[in-house]
Amino acid sequence: MVPDDVISFSVIDLVFIWLGLGTFLLDLGTDAWVAFSFYWAGDYFWGSAVLVLVFLCSAVVQLFSWFWFAGDRQQLESFSNSGRLPKLKVTPGDRVLGLLHWLQLGFLVRYITALELGFRVYKEKETMGLQYAIYLACDISMLRLFESIFESAPQLTLMLYIIMQKNQVEIHQCKCTTSWVI
């Protein structure tokens, strides 16, 4: 029996981070595909509505991510300098991190950092970074929850409105609605 206070980072944790990254990229791909399909069909208004909704919702999630990174920066540096946290290979500076968040890529930085630290903690059985690896995985989960609330629910509502407005269902609407449910 394992004591309650023993926490570890397992292969399952790494697999779930990879799956989360895959679903995040799949979500981006389906968003782009739906907008492109509307533009291709000549429905510029609906294509633009989908893109505006995606970018606004993504901006909100990126803001949360940026504020969390900025708030954690001092604490992480003090942990890292004291030797309680290993140095990460992927640690962009404040300006680069701000630019990446502005370009809507801050989420990917979180995934890469979590994968790097999680793999190191798992492979080397490193206890210094274990709490931070778990913290990063929780941050990613919380940001994905925000994304599903801020992006997927309004997109699904918009898609259902478009289907009812047009009184017809097109293939990209069905696939896109199904991917938002996932």
Side-chain angles (χ1 to χ4, degrees):
M1 183 166 187
V2 178
D4 291 337
D5 60 347
V6 176
I7 300 173
S8 64
F9 205 83
S10 66
V11 173
I12 299 293
D13 296 318
L14 289 171
V15 168
F16 276 116
I17 292 173
W18 275 108
L19 285 173
L21 177 60
T23 58
F24 172 72
L25 294 174
L26 179 69
D27 181 44
L28 284 178
T30 56
D31 291 342
W33 180 57
V34 168
F36 176 76
S37 296
F38 277 121
Y39 282 120
W40 188 262
D43 291 330
Y44 301 114
F45 177 76
W46 295 123
S48 298
V50 169
L51 282 180
V52 166
L53 195 60
V54 167
F55 283 121
L56 285 177
C57 298
S58 179
V60 169
V61 172
Q62 294 296 326
L63 278 173
F64 273 107
S65 177
W66 166 251
F67 286 132
W68 287 351
F69 259 134
D72 295 342
R73 179 68 77 175
Q74 289 179 339
Q75 183 180 7
L76 291 177
E77 286 176 358
S78 68
F79 277 161
S80 193
N81 292 337
S82 68
R84 296 188 338 213
L85 184 67
K87 294 278 187 194
L88 297 172
K89 294 177 186 165
V90 182
T91 45
D94 286 339
R95 288 184 181 175
V96 172
L97 196 58
L99 178 65
L100 289 171
H101 278 85
W102 188 78
L103 294 172
Q104 310 296 309
L105 298 173
F107 216 74
L108 292 176
V109 172
R110 283 193 178 272
Y111 271 114
I112 291 168
T113 306
L115 284 170
E116 177 195 347
L117 187 59
F119 184 72
R120 187 186 308 169
V121 166
Y122 170 73
K123 183 180 173 190
E124 300 172 5
K125 303 297 182 209
E126 197 173 273
T127 57
M128 285 192 314
L130 177 62
Q131 287 181 340
Y132 187 54
I134 292 171
Y135 177 77
L136 281 174
C138 290
D139 271 0
I140 290 171
S141 297
M142 190 62 107
L143 287 170
R144 288 300 301 255
L145 178 65
F146 289 165
E147 181 189 25
S148 66
I149 292 169
F150 295 138
E151 183 179 325
S152 298
Q155 283 179 349
L156 182 59
T157 305
L158 176 66
M159 201 54 56
L160 291 174
Y161 177 78
I162 293 170
I163 290 170
M164 289 177 15
Q165 184 75 19
K166 289 184 163 193
N167 204 19
Q168 67 180 10
V169 178
E170 297 173 19
I171 190 70
H172 65 275
Q173 293 169 333
C174 292
K175 287 188 178 186
C176 141
T177 305
T178 309
S179 72
W180 286 327
V181 171
I182 293 173

